[in-house]
Amino acid sequence: PAGRSCTDTLLVRRWWIDLLGRPPTLGEWDAAVAAIGRGEHQRVVDSLLDSAEFPQRLADELVGWCEAASDGRQASERWRRALAGALAEDDHLSPLVRRMLLVAPPDDAASAPSDPLADFHLLAAEPRSRVELITQSWMGVRLACARCHDHPLDRWTQADYFGMAACWAGVSVREGQVRRLAAATTTDLRTGRDAVPALPILTLGTEVQHEPSAMIVHRIPQPLTAETADAAFVEWMLSA
């Protein structure tokens, strides 16, 4: 059954807190209630979405997701500012995620300094914690169980875990700087040997398990290499 109708004053308060993270001022409240009384609901919401405060609010939400998925690390102020700036320019998440996760190779001038959005990687110390951070932040998947054994409640195996972790071996975090390393590896704890970059064959999810589309298979280079694995991971993730 439908809930009770929301009063205009309560609706204004909810919009401001949800979209801007603060209650409205008295002047904002009076103006918005009057606009709603004239049936101008859309105009009020559009003004909030177009405000300079909304990208910062959205950035704070995204930072909260990522910090919650980290091992207790705090996001850098540079990353917070870059995230809010990027969201103010473009609200599409796919290009934002690519800029955040992909780090330029060391022979690229753009790698010094790295894109401020790549400071996302400062929330993880090494490839295994990094793949856990990425999958929880951007896929809503808690992969950590598969570090020690096949996930008991989901479809992720240890092979999936170490293959995906190896995709991020080339990202290095030292002294507050994010860099791309050539020929870097991470250890497969099952064997004590270098883990091999690999992606799960099936698409994401625990119920719908079918082969990925031909388009996605074509876009992801096979087999994966240290140079292509992170980009392949990102395209695989965004295709879900």
Side-chain angles (χ1 to χ4, degrees):
R4 293 184 301 169
S5 297
C6 181
T7 64
D8 292 350
T9 54
L10 182 57
L11 183 60
V12 169
R13 183 175 184 275
R14 287 180 175 175
W15 280 348
W16 255 255
I17 290 177
D18 287 347
L19 298 179
L20 302 187
R22 64 171 178 83
T25 65
L26 184 58
E28 290 171 334
W29 200 325
D30 289 341
V33 169
I36 290 173
R38 298 189 297 270
E40 298 175 356
H41 298 68
Q42 188 67 50
R43 184 179 67 78
V44 176
V45 173
D46 286 344
S47 70
L48 296 176
L49 296 178
D50 291 338
S51 72
E53 293 177 76
F54 177 67
Q56 185 61 60
R57 167 65 169 169
L58 185 54
D60 289 342
E61 287 293 312
L62 293 176
V63 168
W65 295 355
C66 298
E67 286 184 336
S70 75
D71 54 3
R73 296 170 180 245
Q74 298 296 307
S76 70
E77 189 58 36
R78 187 176 88 135
W79 184 51
R80 289 176 181 271
R81 291 195 303 269
L83 190 53
L87 289 167
E89 296 173 2
D90 186 355
D91 60 359
H92 291 87
L93 284 180
S94 292
L96 179 68
V97 169
R98 289 187 181 95
R99 284 183 61 192
M100 191 180 299
L101 298 185
L102 299 178
V103 181
D107 58 349
D108 191 321
S111 66
S114 61
D115 188 327
L117 284 175
D119 279 7
F120 166 84
H121 289 290
L122 296 176
L123 292 173
E126 44 80 32
R128 292 188 291 272
S129 59
R130 181 160 294 110
V131 75
E132 293 171 16
L133 169 69
I134 292 169
T135 52
Q136 185 171 335
S137 297
W138 298 109
M139 294 164 57
V141 171
R142 291 182 179 271
L143 198 64
C145 280
R147 182 187 289 214
C148 301
H149 49 74
D150 291 350
H151 202 301
L153 303 176
D154 210 336
R155 52 153 300 232
W156 309 103
T157 66
Q158 277 190 289
D160 293 334
Y161 179 95
F162 289 108
M164 289 191 286
C167 292
W168 298 101
V171 176
S172 171
V173 173
R174 292 183 181 178
E175 299 179 350
Q177 298 293 319
V178 179
R179 293 288 184 268
R180 179 73 175 269
L181 299 179
T185 61
T186 189
T187 303
D188 186 330
L189 299 181
R190 300 171 302 168
T191 64
R193 299 177 179 176
D194 289 345
V196 177
L199 295 173
I201 296 175
L202 301 178
T203 54
L204 304 184
T206 57
E207 297 179 0
V208 180
Q209 296 192 357
H210 54 272
E211 293 297 327
S213 70
M215 178 184 72
I216 298 302
V217 171
H218 178 72
R219 289 171 61 189
I220 295 177
Q222 299 290 343
L224 300 182
T225 66
E227 291 73 25
T228 63
D230 55 347
F233 184 105
V234 171
E235 295 308 315
W236 169 79
M237 179 178 71
L238 293 177
S239 72

